[in-house]
Amino acid sequence: MAEEKRDYYEVLGLQKGASEDEIKKAFKKKAREFHPDLHPDDPSCEEKFKEVNEAYEVLSDPDKKQRYDQFGHAGVDPNYAGAGGGMDGFGGFGDMGDILEGIFGGFGFGGGSARSSANAPRRGADIEESVTISFMEACTGLKKDIRINRMSTCEACKGTGADGGTSADICPDCHGRGSVKTTQRIPFGAISSTKVCPHCNGKGKIIKNPCPKCKGVGRYRMTKTVAVNIPAGIADGQTIRRRGEGDCGINGGPAGDLMINVNVKSHPLFSREGFDIHCDIPVTYTEAVLGSEITVPTIDGDVKYSISEGTQTGTIFRLKGKGVKKLNRDDRGDQYVKIYVEVPKNLNKKQKDLLREFEGSLNEKNYAKRQSFFEKLRSKLDF
């Protein structure tokens, strides 16, 4: 009796009906948890890793996922023992495994991918790192050293996994395919199934004298420092891709990429929208009434700006070209400055008397908005 397969949702730690994004996140988590390169001393991880890959291959494909949700394993793997007598009707075609391999190229049925790609070049995994920079560093750009942890090709064995002067042998059981095929005869023909070769654990080769440095893996994990150019104008949450600086490939495959997620700290004065900068500037009551030259901070330093007489709270003016440099361009955004008038507090008696005297010298012409408001109010009441 063939071993019963686990439910694919259970393999990824999900509930049935999980979304595409949930499936992808669960796969990445499980793949890291069981990746054989991260657990060279635990042979069970390789089987678990293959199980995770098989589950993701089905659940990430909308058509396969629909068939799996409706029929279970039998809907996506005709070689599955739980499919029952439904296979008998194909007896006249002989070896069903060969037919399926011819139609689907060996992918997704009975572990066929292991047959065709045990020793094929495979791209290395992408790796992610995060870097935190200040608001001003994001505006001006900088060069920053970042420590990364990546899989690198073993220099001692040049990635072969075999000790110096020796080489890996082709597995005699699977002849380098990484899997072995078994055929079960039934009254109307035969059903073939494929499983990971137990002799080489799906690698397609046997290393009798493993490299002492990488323990036969051909790669090892190392920490290195890379210098990263962070361009001026980068925003919080953006990612810098460094191609070929992720984990090294397998069997001569290309390396993955390094993905650097940039986090930008907030600033006490400035905020940012796209490439424009915003800030609030307080002015005194007198400055707002009489007009004044005020000092405005920018990312390039302080500048002078003259506000006109009677400037109101909420007035916004623009400093053209004082924003953030646009990525891969020479022009910049603008800076928008919002004025708010600070009402004086803690006045002494003399100041209050002077203010009342000043207020008494004013009339409605000095308060255009107030006059307009009461005119609208009277008009509404008369209506």
Side-chain angles (χ1 to χ4, degrees):
M1 177 69 69
E3 183 178 351
E4 186 76 14
K5 282 188 177 182
R6 284 206 299 156
D7 177 77
Y8 286 149
Y9 289 101
E10 179 186 341
V11 170
L12 296 181
L14 296 168
Q15 295 293 324
K16 188 172 181 179
S19 67
E20 180 181 347
D21 187 53
E22 290 172 331
I23 292 170
K24 185 179 294 185
K25 288 181 179 178
F27 167 69
K28 291 176 70 175
K29 178 181 178 182
K30 291 291 184 180
R32 292 192 192 100
E33 183 178 349
F34 297 121
H35 200 294
D37 291 339
L38 302 181
H39 308 279
D41 299 326
D42 187 354
S44 67
C45 281
E46 186 154 359
E47 287 302 316
K48 292 176 182 177
F49 184 70
K50 291 178 184 295
E51 184 182 41
V52 167
N53 273 287
E54 181 180 334
Y56 180 69
E57 182 183 355
V58 171
L59 298 183
S60 63
D61 185 309
D63 292 334
K64 291 181 182 179
K65 182 175 181 291
Q66 182 180 6
R67 295 200 302 272
Y68 179 75
D69 289 344
Q70 187 172 1
F71 301 109
H73 291 292
V76 292
D77 187 356
N79 293 329
Y80 179 60
M87 294 297 294
D88 294 352
F90 295 96
F93 291 97
D95 190 335
M96 287 302 300
D98 289 339
I99 294 173
L100 293 170
E101 184 171 356
I103 295 174
F104 296 101
F107 290 97
F109 292 91
S113 58
R115 292 198 298 273
S116 59
S117 61
N119 293 306
R122 283 184 285 166
R123 181 180 182 273
D126 294 339
I127 59 176
E128 292 187 22
E129 295 291 342
S130 295
V131 60
T132 299
I133 61 177
S134 70
F135 184 94
M136 293 301 296
E137 287 173 333
C139 294
T140 60
L142 76 158
K143 188 172 184 179
K144 195 172 184 68
D145 289 337
I146 299 176
R147 290 178 65 81
I148 65 171
N149 195 277
R150 68 186 295 264
M151 294 297 293
S152 298
T153 301
C154 178
E155 300 95 340
C157 66
K158 308 301 182 185
T160 66
D163 198 5
T166 67
S167 60
D169 297 328
I170 298 297
C171 175
D173 288 12
C174 67
H175 305 290
R177 299 166 74 183
S179 61
V180 291
K181 182 189 293 185
T182 59
T183 302
Q184 179 183 359
R185 294 292 174 182
I186 61 175
F188 301 100
I191 298 177
S192 293
S193 61
T194 305
K195 65 177 182 179
V196 174
C197 176
H199 191 187
C200 66
N201 291 321
K203 296 180 179 178
K205 55 189 178 182
I206 302 294
I207 299 177
K208 295 180 180 178
N209 299 297
C211 170
K213 185 170 184 178
C214 66
K215 297 180 173 55
V217 176
R219 309 190 304 167
Y220 66 96
R221 190 162 294 280
M222 64 170 290
T223 299
K224 64 175 291 188
T225 300
V226 296
V228 179
N229 287 315
I230 301 177
I234 196 162
D236 181 55
Q238 288 188 309
T239 299
I240 299 172
R241 179 189 289 268
R242 295 281 294 265
R243 296 195 179 278
E245 295 196 32
D247 286 347
C248 67
I250 299 173
N251 298 327
D257 297 336
L258 168 62
M259 315 294 286
I260 304 166
N261 301 314
V262 180
N263 302 310
V264 180
K265 296 179 182 178
S266 59
H267 193 275
L269 295 179
F270 303 125
S271 62
R272 178 175 167 181
E273 291 183 12
F275 297 103
D276 294 330
I277 287 179
H278 295 257
C279 73
D280 294 341
I281 300 291
V283 298
T284 68
Y285 177 78
T286 304
E287 287 175 327
V289 171
L290 302 179
S292 176
E293 184 179 72
I294 62 173
T295 300
V296 179
T298 75
I299 60 174
D300 301 316
D302 294 344
V303 298
K304 298 294 184 180
Y305 187 86
S306 295
I307 60 174
S308 58
E309 292 183 13
T311 295
Q312 303 293 313
T313 289
T315 299
I316 297 175
F317 60 86
R318 181 180 71 160
L319 299 177
K320 187 173 178 59
K322 288 297 184 180
V324 182
K325 181 181 180 297
K326 298 179 180 179
L327 287 172
N328 304 316
R329 291 169 55 177
D330 294 329
D331 56 328
R332 296 171 55 169
D334 302 323
Q335 178 167 328
Y336 292 88
V337 181
K338 186 175 183 179
I339 295 293
Y340 68 89
V341 180
E342 186 173 9
V343 177
K345 297 181 179 179
N346 305 315
L347 301 180
N348 57 35
K349 183 177 182 304
K350 181 179 179 181
Q351 290 168 333
K352 291 177 182 179
D353 290 340
L354 289 172
L355 191 57
R356 291 189 185 100
E357 181 180 348
F358 169 71
E359 179 68 17
S361 67
L362 303 177
N363 55 47
E364 290 186 353
K365 292 181 180 180
N366 300 115
Y367 293 106
K369 287 187 177 180
R370 178 183 173 88
Q371 182 179 12
S372 175
F373 171 79
F374 283 109
E375 286 178 353
K376 290 177 183 177
L377 181 60
R378 283 193 295 268
S379 175
K380 186 175 180 64
L381 293 176
D382 289 345
F383 178 77

mmCIF file of all heavy atoms in Angstrom, residues 2 8 13 42 54-55 77 79 85 97 118 125 135 137 162-163 180 194 203 209 213 215 219 249 284 328 346 362 373:
data_model
loop_
_atom_site.group_PDB
_atom_site.id
_atom_site.type_symbol
_atom_site.label_atom_id
_atom_site.label_comp_id
_atom_site.label_asym_id
_atom_site.label_seq_id
_atom_site.Cartn_x
_atom_site.Cartn_y
_atom_site.Cartn_z
ATOM 1 N N ALA A 2 0.683 2.126 -0.974
ATOM 2 C CA ALA A 2 1.479 3.360 -1.060
ATOM 3 C C ALA A 2 1.184 4.270 0.126
ATOM 4 O O ALA A 2 0.080 4.264 0.671
ATOM 5 C CB ALA A 2 1.162 4.097 -2.363
ATOM 6 N N TYR A 8 -2.284 19.074 0.987
ATOM 7 C CA TYR A 8 -1.358 20.137 0.606
ATOM 8 C C TYR A 8 -1.530 21.384 1.471
ATOM 9 O O TYR A 8 -0.560 22.087 1.767
ATOM 10 C CB TYR A 8 -1.561 20.496 -0.863
ATOM 11 C CG TYR A 8 -1.017 19.467 -1.828
ATOM 12 C CD1 TYR A 8 -1.609 19.262 -3.075
ATOM 13 C CD2 TYR A 8 0.098 18.708 -1.497
ATOM 14 C CE1 TYR A 8 -1.099 18.324 -3.968
ATOM 15 C CE2 TYR A 8 0.609 17.768 -2.377
ATOM 16 C CZ TYR A 8 0.004 17.579 -3.616
ATOM 17 O OH TYR A 8 0.524 16.660 -4.486
ATOM 18 N N GLY A 13 0.589 24.616 6.148
ATOM 19 C CA GLY A 13 0.059 25.247 7.353
ATOM 20 C C GLY A 13 -1.060 26.221 7.076
ATOM 21 O O GLY A 13 -1.158 27.259 7.735
ATOM 22 N N ASP A 42 20.496 17.100 8.679
ATOM 23 C CA ASP A 42 19.158 16.531 8.899
ATOM 24 C C ASP A 42 18.601 16.019 7.573
ATOM 25 O O ASP A 42 18.038 16.774 6.785
ATOM 26 C CB ASP A 42 18.230 17.602 9.489
ATOM 27 C CG ASP A 42 16.877 17.027 9.901
ATOM 28 O OD1 ASP A 42 16.624 15.835 9.622
ATOM 29 O OD2 ASP A 42 16.068 17.777 10.493
ATOM 30 N N GLU A 54 6.077 20.428 -3.751
ATOM 31 C CA GLU A 54 4.975 19.773 -4.457
ATOM 32 C C GLU A 54 3.646 20.443 -4.118
ATOM 33 O O GLU A 54 2.808 20.688 -4.998
ATOM 34 C CB GLU A 54 4.929 18.289 -4.074
ATOM 35 C CG GLU A 54 3.827 17.502 -4.789
ATOM 36 C CD GLU A 54 3.821 16.041 -4.380
ATOM 37 O OE1 GLU A 54 4.877 15.519 -3.973
ATOM 38 O OE2 GLU A 54 2.740 15.415 -4.460
ATOM 39 N N ALA A 55 3.447 20.757 -2.842
ATOM 40 C CA ALA A 55 2.207 21.413 -2.427
ATOM 41 C C ALA A 55 2.064 22.785 -3.071
ATOM 42 O O ALA A 55 0.994 23.160 -3.560
ATOM 43 C CB ALA A 55 2.168 21.530 -0.897
ATOM 44 N N ASP A 77 -2.897 14.279 -9.597
ATOM 45 C CA ASP A 77 -1.876 13.235 -9.740
ATOM 46 C C ASP A 77 -2.539 11.910 -10.080
ATOM 47 O O ASP A 77 -2.969 11.179 -9.191
ATOM 48 C CB ASP A 77 -1.072 13.112 -8.440
ATOM 49 C CG ASP A 77 0.109 12.161 -8.592
ATOM 50 O OD1 ASP A 77 0.253 11.556 -9.673
ATOM 51 O OD2 ASP A 77 0.896 12.021 -7.631
ATOM 52 N N ASN A 79 -1.288 9.225 -10.781
ATOM 53 C CA ASN A 79 -0.564 8.091 -10.222
ATOM 54 C C ASN A 79 -0.861 7.870 -8.751
ATOM 55 O O ASN A 79 -0.363 6.938 -8.131
ATOM 56 C CB ASN A 79 0.950 8.303 -10.381
ATOM 57 C CG ASN A 79 1.360 8.273 -11.833
ATOM 58 O OD1 ASN A 79 0.748 7.577 -12.633
ATOM 59 N ND2 ASN A 79 2.383 9.038 -12.179
ATOM 60 N N GLY A 85 -10.176 2.836 -8.840
ATOM 61 C CA GLY A 85 -10.362 2.112 -10.085
ATOM 62 C C GLY A 85 -10.534 2.994 -11.276
ATOM 63 O O GLY A 85 -10.674 2.501 -12.392
ATOM 64 N N GLY A 97 2.319 6.076 -16.593
ATOM 65 C CA GLY A 97 3.349 7.030 -16.200
ATOM 66 C C GLY A 97 4.082 7.581 -17.403
ATOM 67 O O GLY A 97 4.373 8.765 -17.496
ATOM 68 N N ALA A 118 17.378 16.668 -11.735
ATOM 69 C CA ALA A 118 18.195 16.415 -10.547
ATOM 70 C C ALA A 118 19.555 17.085 -10.646
ATOM 71 O O ALA A 118 20.071 17.604 -9.666
ATOM 72 C CB ALA A 118 18.370 14.911 -10.341
ATOM 73 N N ALA A 125 18.529 31.289 -4.681
ATOM 74 C CA ALA A 125 17.394 32.010 -4.105
ATOM 75 C C ALA A 125 17.730 33.494 -3.936
ATOM 76 O O ALA A 125 18.890 33.872 -3.749
ATOM 77 C CB ALA A 125 17.018 31.412 -2.754
ATOM 78 N N PHE A 135 15.801 60.769 7.114
ATOM 79 C CA PHE A 135 15.041 61.515 6.109
ATOM 80 C C PHE A 135 15.995 62.276 5.188
ATOM 81 O O PHE A 135 15.835 62.261 3.966
ATOM 82 C CB PHE A 135 14.087 62.486 6.816
ATOM 83 C CG PHE A 135 13.188 63.247 5.894
ATOM 84 C CD1 PHE A 135 11.915 62.784 5.605
ATOM 85 C CD2 PHE A 135 13.602 64.444 5.312
ATOM 86 C CE1 PHE A 135 11.070 63.486 4.748
ATOM 87 C CE2 PHE A 135 12.768 65.157 4.462
ATOM 88 C CZ PHE A 135 11.499 64.668 4.179
ATOM 89 N N GLU A 137 19.180 61.638 4.577
ATOM 90 C CA GLU A 137 19.959 60.712 3.748
ATOM 91 C C GLU A 137 19.155 60.254 2.542
ATOM 92 O O GLU A 137 19.702 60.068 1.445
ATOM 93 C CB GLU A 137 20.406 59.517 4.581
ATOM 94 C CG GLU A 137 21.513 59.842 5.571
ATOM 95 C CD GLU A 137 21.828 58.685 6.498
ATOM 96 O OE1 GLU A 137 20.926 57.852 6.765
ATOM 97 O OE2 GLU A 137 22.977 58.602 6.979
ATOM 98 N N ALA A 162 32.815 17.370 -3.550
ATOM 99 C CA ALA A 162 33.760 16.275 -3.348
ATOM 100 C C ALA A 162 35.111 16.808 -2.882
ATOM 101 O O ALA A 162 35.530 17.908 -3.259
ATOM 102 C CB ALA A 162 33.933 15.499 -4.651
ATOM 103 N N ASP A 163 35.780 16.026 -2.052
ATOM 104 C CA ASP A 163 37.085 16.425 -1.532
ATOM 105 C C ASP A 163 38.084 16.550 -2.679
ATOM 106 O O ASP A 163 37.906 15.967 -3.759
ATOM 107 C CB ASP A 163 37.552 15.387 -0.512
ATOM 108 C CG ASP A 163 38.660 15.928 0.374
ATOM 109 O OD1 ASP A 163 38.995 17.126 0.248
ATOM 110 O OD2 ASP A 163 39.202 15.151 1.189
ATOM 111 N N VAL A 180 13.495 7.191 -9.053
ATOM 112 C CA VAL A 180 13.352 5.837 -9.598
ATOM 113 C C VAL A 180 11.877 5.584 -9.865
ATOM 114 O O VAL A 180 10.998 6.086 -9.170
ATOM 115 C CB VAL A 180 13.923 4.775 -8.638
ATOM 116 C CG1 VAL A 180 15.426 4.870 -8.550
ATOM 117 C CG2 VAL A 180 13.311 4.921 -7.241
ATOM 118 N N THR A 194 6.644 7.396 -9.631
ATOM 119 C CA THR A 194 8.041 7.810 -9.481
ATOM 120 C C THR A 194 8.254 8.362 -8.086
ATOM 121 O O THR A 194 7.427 9.104 -7.567
ATOM 122 C CB THR A 194 8.393 8.899 -10.510
ATOM 123 O OG1 THR A 194 8.086 8.417 -11.818
ATOM 124 C CG2 THR A 194 9.859 9.262 -10.445
ATOM 125 N N LYS A 203 19.606 13.453 -5.405
ATOM 126 C CA LYS A 203 20.666 14.302 -5.950
ATOM 127 C C LYS A 203 21.219 13.781 -7.270
ATOM 128 O O LYS A 203 21.871 14.512 -8.006
ATOM 129 C CB LYS A 203 21.804 14.438 -4.936
ATOM 130 C CG LYS A 203 21.374 15.149 -3.661
ATOM 131 C CD LYS A 203 22.526 15.263 -2.680
ATOM 132 C CE LYS A 203 22.078 16.001 -1.417
ATOM 133 N NZ LYS A 203 23.170 16.087 -0.415
ATOM 134 N N ASN A 209 33.688 10.820 -0.941
ATOM 135 C CA ASN A 209 34.630 11.594 -0.115
ATOM 136 C C ASN A 209 34.189 13.052 -0.100
ATOM 137 O O ASN A 209 34.667 13.869 -0.903
ATOM 138 C CB ASN A 209 36.046 11.482 -0.677
ATOM 139 C CG ASN A 209 36.544 10.055 -0.700
ATOM 140 O OD1 ASN A 209 36.683 9.411 0.334
ATOM 141 N ND2 ASN A 209 36.799 9.540 -1.916
ATOM 142 N N LYS A 213 35.004 21.107 4.048
ATOM 143 C CA LYS A 213 34.581 22.479 4.337
ATOM 144 C C LYS A 213 33.071 22.641 4.221
ATOM 145 O O LYS A 213 32.430 23.250 5.066
ATOM 146 C CB LYS A 213 35.290 23.465 3.413
ATOM 147 C CG LYS A 213 34.974 24.924 3.739
ATOM 148 C CD LYS A 213 35.862 25.884 2.972
ATOM 149 C CE LYS A 213 35.587 27.329 3.400
ATOM 150 N NZ LYS A 213 36.470 28.285 2.718
ATOM 151 N N LYS A 215 30.987 19.928 3.648
ATOM 152 C CA LYS A 215 30.358 18.647 4.008
ATOM 153 C C LYS A 215 29.580 18.037 2.837
ATOM 154 O O LYS A 215 28.520 17.439 3.018
ATOM 155 C CB LYS A 215 29.455 18.810 5.227
ATOM 156 C CG LYS A 215 30.216 19.239 6.477
ATOM 157 C CD LYS A 215 29.291 19.389 7.666
ATOM 158 C CE LYS A 215 30.067 19.635 8.945
ATOM 159 N NZ LYS A 215 30.976 20.777 8.898
ATOM 160 N N ARG A 219 28.147 24.164 -1.326
ATOM 161 C CA ARG A 219 27.911 25.562 -0.961
ATOM 162 C C ARG A 219 27.967 25.680 0.561
ATOM 163 O O ARG A 219 27.789 24.691 1.277
ATOM 164 C CB ARG A 219 26.540 26.045 -1.437
ATOM 165 C CG ARG A 219 26.249 25.784 -2.904
ATOM 166 C CD ARG A 219 24.986 26.488 -3.361
ATOM 167 N NE ARG A 219 23.797 26.152 -2.586
ATOM 168 C CZ ARG A 219 22.649 26.810 -2.643
ATOM 169 N NH1 ARG A 219 22.534 27.869 -3.418
ATOM 170 N NH2 ARG A 219 21.601 26.433 -1.929
ATOM 171 N N GLY A 249 24.005 29.836 -7.350
ATOM 172 C CA GLY A 249 23.199 28.810 -7.995
ATOM 173 C C GLY A 249 23.689 27.412 -7.665
ATOM 174 O O GLY A 249 24.728 27.214 -7.039
ATOM 175 N N THR A 284 4.460 85.142 14.244
ATOM 176 C CA THR A 284 3.807 85.888 15.316
ATOM 177 C C THR A 284 2.619 86.668 14.766
ATOM 178 O O THR A 284 2.487 86.875 13.556
ATOM 179 C CB THR A 284 4.786 86.867 15.973
ATOM 180 O OG1 THR A 284 5.117 87.892 15.033
ATOM 181 C CG2 THR A 284 6.049 86.153 16.435
ATOM 182 N N ASN A 328 16.724 59.075 -10.751
ATOM 183 C CA ASN A 328 17.280 58.953 -12.102
ATOM 184 C C ASN A 328 16.985 60.169 -12.984
ATOM 185 O O ASN A 328 16.954 60.058 -14.216
ATOM 186 C CB ASN A 328 16.770 57.675 -12.784
ATOM 187 C CG ASN A 328 17.077 56.437 -11.981
ATOM 188 O OD1 ASN A 328 18.186 56.281 -11.466
ATOM 189 N ND2 ASN A 328 16.104 55.546 -11.861
ATOM 190 N N ASN A 346 -0.395 84.340 27.871
ATOM 191 C CA ASN A 346 0.228 84.830 29.115
ATOM 192 C C ASN A 346 0.544 86.335 29.065
ATOM 193 O O ASN A 346 1.635 86.784 29.447
ATOM 194 C CB ASN A 346 1.520 84.048 29.408
ATOM 195 C CG ASN A 346 1.281 82.548 29.464
ATOM 196 O OD1 ASN A 346 0.300 82.101 30.085
ATOM 197 N ND2 ASN A 346 2.143 81.771 28.827
ATOM 198 N N LEU A 362 -9.975 99.576 15.489
ATOM 199 C CA LEU A 362 -10.284 98.891 14.235
ATOM 200 C C LEU A 362 -11.766 98.975 13.915
ATOM 201 O O LEU A 362 -12.600 99.273 14.775
ATOM 202 C CB LEU A 362 -9.865 97.418 14.330
ATOM 203 C CG LEU A 362 -8.376 97.135 14.660
ATOM 204 C CD1 LEU A 362 -8.140 95.648 14.799
ATOM 205 C CD2 LEU A 362 -7.476 97.728 13.574
ATOM 206 N N PHE A 373 -18.728 86.949 6.649
ATOM 207 C CA PHE A 373 -19.448 85.901 7.368
ATOM 208 C C PHE A 373 -20.790 86.414 7.899
ATOM 209 O O PHE A 373 -21.839 85.785 7.728
ATOM 210 C CB PHE A 373 -18.583 85.383 8.526
ATOM 211 C CG PHE A 373 -19.314 84.468 9.457
ATOM 212 C CD1 PHE A 373 -19.541 83.142 9.128
ATOM 213 C CD2 PHE A 373 -19.801 84.948 10.673
ATOM 214 C CE1 PHE A 373 -20.226 82.314 9.998
ATOM 215 C CE2 PHE A 373 -20.486 84.118 11.541
ATOM 216 C CZ PHE A 373 -20.699 82.784 11.199
#
